[in-house]
Each structure stands twice: as C-alpha cells, then as structure tokens.
C-alpha cells in the first residue's frame, strides 16, 4: 500500500508538534516533583483533557467501535458504566485526593501517598503497590502498542512489528524528554484531536449513506438485534451477569494510577468543578460517537470484518471518506489516543518503581538527578517489555485493556476510597485490600473466566471486605495518623 503525500504531511506535522512539546518542556522538570507531577501547576483544561485522553486510549477509537460493530447497541452498557465511573471519580475522589496528597507530606505518587497516609515504616504498602503497578501497566501499555501496530498495518500496509517500534519510539521520546508536563500538554492537544476524529467519521459515514434514518433502517434490516440492549447481533442474549460485568467497568476508575495522578497535579482544588464539566462533556460525546462508529461501519462495510479485524472499522472508514491529508489527521487522532495513554502509563510505572521500590529499599539518599535518570531508564525498560508482550498481532485490544483495568480497579480502587473517607482504616487493612484485590483479579482471570463474571467485580468486593475486616480487627490507628487525617479533612472542607 502506497502512502499519499497528504497523509505523510499530516503525520509529520503531528509528530512535529509532539516532539516540539517534549523539547519545550524539557528544562521545566529538573526534580522528581516536576518530572512526575509537573510541579502541581496544571489548569482545569489541561487536567481534564489529560485525564480523559489518557483514560480512553486507542481502545476508544478501535476497541469499542469494534465491539459495537460485532455486538450492536448493547455496547452502550460499557459506555454507560464508563460515563458513570468518570463522573463518580471526579465527584468523590478528585478534590479529596488533591488535598490529601499535598497535606500528607506532599506525596507525588500513589504508593507514596499510601505510605504517608498510614505511616508505613516497613514500606510494605509502597512495595506492594509498585509491584502491582508494574505488572498491570505492562499489560495495559502493551494494549496501546497492539493498537499502534494494527493502526499502521491497516492504514498503510506496514509490517505489524515495525509499527510497534514506530509507536513505541515516539512515545518513549517525548516521555523521556519532557516528563509529566510534556505528557499532559500533549494529552490536551491529542484530546482535541481525538474528539474531532470521533465526531467526523460517523457523521460523514451517515452523510454518505443518505442520513441518519436511512442508515438506521439499513442497520435494522441486517439484524433487529443491533438495536437491542439485551441481545447481541449474532442472536445471543445478555443476562444480568453480562450486563453487570459491562457496567462494572465504571468501578475501575477509582484505582487507575494514570488518571488519579492528574487529580494530584491540578494547580488548585477550586478548579476541579470546571475540570469536571469539561471532562464529562468530552466523555459523554466521545463514547456515544465511538459506539456509533461501529454501528455505521456495520452498514457501510457489511460483515467483511471478522474477529480482531473489527477493531479496524474506524481506520477503514476514514481512509474511504476523506482526502489523504484529513485521513492523516484522523490517523493522528488514533495515534493520539494510543500515545496519550501509553505515555502516562510509562511515566507512572517508572516513577513508582524508582520512587516507591528502588529509593526506599536500596538507596534512600538518592539525589533528585539520580532519581530522574533512573526514572527515564525505566521508561525505556517498561516500553521494551510492553512491546514484547504486544508481539502477537491477533491480540484483542479490548480484552487486554479489560484485564489491566480490572487489576488496577480492584487493587487500588477500594484502597483509595476508604483511605480518603474512613478515618478508622489501618495500615494492615490497606495492605490486605491491595493484596486481596490484585491477586483476585490475577486468579479469577486465569481460572474462573468461565463464569462470565468480569474479574473486577469479585476483586473489588474482596478488596473492600478485606480492608474493612482487617481494619476492624486491628487496633485503632495511632493518634498521630488520626490527627493528620483530620487536618487533611479540614483542609478539604475549607477549600
């Protein structure tokens, strides 16, 4: 397949903007707080767009449309769960986490916050958290590289494995050079690009097919089940377990480190209501359009896409409808979705391993320069390992994301919520919650997937139960910990 010059020009322009942002932010991040949190100086637009762009990733433009292409409107159950989860995360976690992490000794990573919240002198919370972050982000980041491989292979005919290295190389470059500031500012740019892309493709598709009504009539003629929330297009039916499992995606938000870290970095908690409104508008429209891409693609393309090929429906339609330059811009939007997430994940993983594993266990006196250098080395290492996991071109993006999403949601979600709202929670309860949630997901995925229950449900519930039970059986937290919680809670109420 031959590349059009217009497409090449659009991609070169896109990569030029990313590299420019990386270079432009390089000197601003000279210590770990700057490199990992951007000095806690993000405004509401950058915070909201960065949180949502890094949240949705390539699965929103490829995985979810592919699922809708195969299953029909029942894909909205996932979208609904994500919309509710996004709102709950901004409403109940964002402000408290921003205040608590600053009041409790200026924590700059989630494991460090856990350490400071419970005064864990044994460092077992930081170590356990960093291990699960490393495991699940390897899986999660590999999904982004799979998406990048499929994108270049489908759009340009490039070898899948070559595409992995192209995707990974750009992500690694601006993550290494610019750190958190580069990631967040590129997320802002890529968030707008993703929004443009997810709007223009289904709207244009319906225009080419005669409008909304004719498109929907043709879809209904293929199968009435495309319009059923409880039936799949293949005639299968969704029972309560299946619907609950789809909605349960929303539970995962409370434990996603690459999203939560954006709450920690906002300049002031007073900006959170505005950021919430921006985020919710973006999420509701984008997810609805992602499902619509799959539905319109089923009408336009017919049933030619089978299995994992369905995740290329967005790419195939954009290549047919638009000029090479506009198609290149839309391709850049998909790349933006992929890279916004993978860059955030790489940065969180690298900072956690260095700050929460290496420093407390091996080098407590490490200089800021040493920590930044080691963090950049970890970005490279994690990228290489993730690319290795992504070598299979038949991997299903949505399946990979769902596994990692469940791991974080179960290991950290109950821990975050209870640490912010329950004064009586103890360090041992926190540790039990992390272990119970993380291990349950790993075991359930590999041995109990036959039940049809999404692994985040048992993982989240068992983690929550472990936190409550162990904390109540444990002795009351020391007065110093209770005083610090009360101080943070007071600051939250005053702001």
């Amino acid at each position: 397949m031959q590349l059009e010059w217009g497409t090449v020009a659009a991609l070169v322009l896109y990569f030029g903007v990313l590299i420019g942002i990386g270079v432009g932010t390089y000197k601003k991040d000279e210590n770990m707080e700057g490199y990992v949190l951007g000095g806690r100086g993000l405004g509401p637009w950058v915070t909201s767009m960065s949180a949502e762009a890094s949240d949705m990733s390539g699965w929103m433009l490829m995985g979810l449309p592919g699922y809708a292409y195969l299953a029909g409107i029942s894909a909205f159950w996932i979208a609904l769960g994500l919309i509710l989860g996004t709102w709950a995360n901004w409403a109940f976690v964002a402000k408290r986490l921003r205040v608590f992490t600053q009041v409790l000794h200026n924590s700059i990573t989630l494991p460090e916050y856990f350490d400071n919240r419970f005064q864990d002198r044994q460092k077992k919370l930081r170590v356990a958290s960093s291990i699960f972050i490393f495991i699940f982000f390897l899986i999660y980041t590999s999904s982004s590289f799979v998406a990048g491989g499929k994108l270049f292979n489908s759009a340009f005919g490039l070898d899948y494995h070559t595409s992995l290295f192209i995707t990974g190389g750009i992500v690694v470059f601006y993550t290494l050079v610019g750190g958190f500031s580069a990631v967040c500012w590129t997320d802002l740019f890529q968030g707008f690009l993703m929004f443009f892309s997810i709007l223009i493709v289904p709207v244009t598709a319906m225009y080419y097919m005669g409008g909304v009504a004719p498109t929907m009539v043709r879809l209904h003629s293929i199968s009435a089940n495309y319009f059923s929330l409880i039936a799949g297009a293949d005639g299968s039916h969704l029972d309560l377990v299946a619907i609950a499992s789809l909605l349960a995606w929303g539970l995962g938000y409370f434990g996603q480190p690459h999203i939560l870290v954006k709450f920690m970095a906002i300049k002031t908690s007073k900006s959170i209501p505005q950021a919430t409104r921006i985020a919710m508008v973006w999420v509701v429209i984008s997810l609805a359009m992602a499902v619509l891409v799959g539905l319109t693609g089923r009408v336009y393309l017919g049933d030619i896409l089978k299995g994992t090929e369905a995740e290329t429906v967005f790419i195939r339609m954009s290549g047919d409808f638009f000029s090479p330059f506009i198609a290149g811009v839309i391709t850049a939007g998909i790349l933006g979705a992929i890279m916004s997430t993978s860059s955030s994940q790489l940065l969180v993983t690298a900072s956690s391993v260095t700050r929460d594993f290496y420093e407390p266990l091996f080098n407590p006196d490490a200089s800021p320069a040493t920590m930044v250098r080691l963090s950049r080395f970890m970005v490279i290492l994690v990228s290489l390992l993730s690319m290795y996991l992504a070598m299979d071109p038949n991997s299903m993006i949505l399946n990979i994301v769902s596994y990692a999403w469940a791991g974080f949601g179960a290991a950290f979600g109950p821990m975050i919520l209870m640490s912010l709202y329950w004064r009586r929670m103890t360090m041992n309860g926190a540790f039990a919650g992390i272990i119970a949630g993380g291990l349950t997901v790993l075991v359930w995925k590999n041995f109990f997937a036959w039940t049809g229950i999404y692994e985040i449900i048992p993982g989240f519930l068992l983690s929550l139960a472990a936190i409550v039970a162990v904390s109540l059986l444990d002795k009351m937290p020391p007065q110093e910990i209770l005083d610090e919680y009360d101080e943070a809670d007071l600051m939250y109420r005053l702001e």
Side-chain angles (χ1 to χ4, degrees):
M1 186 181 296
Q2 185 176 4
L3 283 177
E4 297 282 352
W5 282 110
T7 303
V8 173
L11 291 176
V12 168
L13 179 62
Y14 166 74
F15 287 132
V17 171
L18 296 189
I19 292 170
I21 291 173
V23 172
T25 56
Y26 179 69
K27 293 183 179 180
K28 296 179 181 179
D29 296 326
E30 296 176 343
N31 55 36
M32 279 300 286
E33 184 177 7
Y35 188 69
V36 176
L37 281 187
R40 295 189 191 263
L42 300 187
W45 274 95
V46 178
T47 301
S48 59
M49 295 297 284
S50 181
E52 302 318 318
S54 62
D55 164 16
M56 293 305 171
S57 74
W59 74 265
M60 187 187 80
L61 298 180
M62 297 178 70
L64 185 56
Y67 181 68
Y69 175 93
L70 296 173
I73 204 171
S74 60
F76 267 115
W77 287 115
I78 292 181
L80 178 60
L82 293 171
I83 289 169
L84 294 175
T86 299
W87 173 80
N89 212 23
W90 280 98
F92 299 112
V93 174
K95 182 178 177 180
R96 289 189 77 91
L97 187 64
R98 172 64 178 83
V99 173
F100 273 56
T101 54
Q102 186 165 37
V103 172
L104 298 179
H105 310 285
N106 196 32
S107 308
I108 66 173
T109 67
L110 281 181
E112 185 179 12
Y113 160 66
F114 300 154
D115 186 342
N116 291 333
R117 168 70 174 82
F118 300 101
Q119 297 184 11
D120 179 16
R121 292 176 174 80
Q122 296 176 327
K123 307 300 180 187
K124 61 183 183 181
L125 291 179
R126 291 179 75 167
V127 172
S129 299
S130 63
I131 290 173
F132 280 120
I133 285 174
F134 185 79
I135 291 172
F136 289 119
F137 267 149
L138 278 182
I139 299 170
Y140 208 145
T141 306
S142 72
S143 74
S144 295
F145 291 142
V146 169
K150 289 186 177 183
L151 170 64
F152 283 104
N153 176 261
S154 178
F156 309 125
L158 294 179
D159 175 72
Y160 172 82
H161 298 105
T162 301
S163 300
L164 289 181
F165 290 99
I166 293 175
T167 306
I170 296 295
V171 173
V172 168
F173 176 82
Y174 73 77
T175 306
L176 280 177
V177 172
F180 190 83
S181 293
V183 167
C184 291
W185 281 100
T186 52
D187 284 350
L188 175 66
F189 165 64
Q190 290 171 153
F192 284 117
L193 196 57
M194 290 162 62
F195 192 74
F196 165 77
S197 300
I198 202 66
L199 281 177
I200 194 173
V201 169
V203 170
T204 303
M206 288 188 290
Y207 170 79
Y208 271 90
M209 293 184 290
V212 175
T215 302
M216 295 300 107
V217 169
R218 289 174 61 184
L219 185 63
H220 188 274
S221 68
I222 295 171
S223 172
N225 285 337
Y226 269 104
F227 292 92
S228 173
L229 285 172
I230 59 172
D234 59 357
S236 61
H237 287 269
L238 296 178
D239 56 20
L240 290 178
V241 170
I243 293 173
S245 293
L246 294 175
L247 287 172
W249 278 71
L251 286 175
Y253 275 100
F254 302 123
Q256 304 300 318
H258 59 299
I259 299 173
L260 298 174
V261 73
K262 307 302 169 61
F263 300 157
M264 296 161 61
I266 196 166
K267 189 172 184 179
T268 170
S269 61
K270 292 181 174 64
S271 298
I272 287 176
Q274 180 185 359
T276 302
R277 291 190 292 271
I278 296 168
M280 290 310 302
V281 169
W282 192 95
V283 165
V284 170
I285 295 176
S286 296
L287 288 175
M289 288 297 175
V291 174
L292 192 57
V293 167
L295 299 179
T296 56
R298 181 62 181 81
V299 175
Y300 177 73
L301 297 172
D303 63 350
I304 64 172
L305 303 180
K306 308 295 184 181
T308 59
E309 286 185 339
E311 295 185 323
T312 66
V313 59
F314 185 90
I315 304 167
R316 290 175 182 256
M317 287 201 296
S318 64
D320 286 355
F321 294 145
F322 303 105
S323 68
F325 182 80
I326 298 299
V329 171
I330 293 172
T331 301
I334 303 174
L335 279 173
I338 295 167
M339 293 181 178
S340 60
T341 298
S342 55
S343 60
S344 294
Q345 292 166 347
L346 287 173
L347 192 61
V348 171
T349 307
S351 62
S352 179
V353 171
T354 54
R355 180 91 175 189
D356 305 312
F357 191 85
Y358 169 77
E359 184 182 26
L361 293 185
F362 300 104
N363 193 359
D365 300 320
S367 67
T370 298
M371 294 294 289
V372 171
R373 283 196 300 270
L374 182 59
S375 184
R376 286 176 170 143
F377 169 77
M378 288 304 303
V379 167
I380 298 174
L381 178 61
V382 173
S383 298
L384 292 175
L385 292 174
S386 295
M387 281 188 273
Y388 175 77
L389 294 178
M391 294 297 284
D392 182 7
N394 294 317
S395 300
M396 195 80 174
I397 299 169
L398 197 62
N399 289 342
I400 301 173
V401 172
S402 70
Y403 189 11
W405 186 265
F408 284 125
F412 299 131
M415 164 74 160
I416 288 290
L417 289 171
M418 300 301 282
S419 72
L420 294 175
Y421 285 96
W422 193 29
R423 186 173 180 264
R424 175 67 175 79
M425 183 178 177
T426 68
M427 180 188 68
N428 290 326
F431 184 73
I434 293 174
I435 299 300
L439 289 183
T440 298
V441 168
L442 292 173
V443 171
W444 196 276
K445 177 69 174 180
N446 290 285
F447 297 101
F448 297 99
W450 57 268
T451 63
I453 299 174
Y454 184 22
E455 53 269 20
I456 196 173
I457 296 176
F460 193 96
L461 293 177
L462 286 177
S463 176
L464 187 62
I467 290 171
V468 174
V470 174
S471 293
L472 291 177
L473 291 172
D474 205 359
K475 60 183 179 181
M476 194 77 176
Q479 189 60 44
E480 183 180 355
I481 293 178
L482 297 176
D483 290 342
E484 286 189 343
Y485 178 91
D486 291 339
E487 179 187 359
D489 186 59
L490 178 61
M491 290 296 295
Y492 164 80
R493 298 175 187 281
L494 291 176
E495 290 198 7

